[in-house]
Amino acid sequence: MRRPSVWVDLGITVVLLPVSAMLVVWLGVHVLFSGDDFGSSGIQTARAARRGAWISGCAAVLAGGGLLGLRLWIAGTLHLVVLGAAAVLFAAAAAQNG
């Protein structure tokens, strides 16, 4: 299998990176607003953060690994970094609140 050109790799990166960023923002909003009406965070925030870490980690493995499997090195690496960093961020929020 031939390696795709750099321009194809960059094009796929430009198309898919906003989708990953929207996933991270969506999960972050769920974590941010997961407390009760009186503003106390705790178990609900930790549960939402663990869910966000799990979804981000799985998305990083699937998207990043799939793109690297297709030899799209730039897109795969950026997705692993962005979604992996989000998984670490959500795991830290879960550890702080749980």
Side-chain angles (χ1 to χ4, degrees):
M1 182 175 163
R2 285 186 38 217
R3 183 183 183 285
S5 75
V6 174
W7 296 109
V8 170
D9 197 356
L10 287 173
I12 291 174
T13 303
V14 168
V15 169
L16 290 180
L17 204 57
V19 175
S20 295
M22 284 188 294
L23 174 69
V24 171
V25 169
W26 181 67
L27 291 170
V29 167
H30 279 285
V31 171
L32 187 63
F33 296 113
S34 63
D36 60 7
D37 292 336
F38 300 107
S40 64
S41 61
I43 300 298
Q44 294 170 340
T45 302
R47 187 177 301 133
R50 279 194 300 270
R51 188 180 309 120
W54 180 253
I55 292 170
S56 295
C58 290
V61 169
L62 290 174
L67 290 168
L68 288 175
L70 293 173
R71 296 184 179 182
L72 297 168
W73 306 118
I74 298 169
T77 303
L78 282 176
H79 276 79
L80 281 174
V81 168
V82 168
L83 292 170
V88 170
L89 176 73
F90 291 135
Q96 183 180 12
N97 289 306

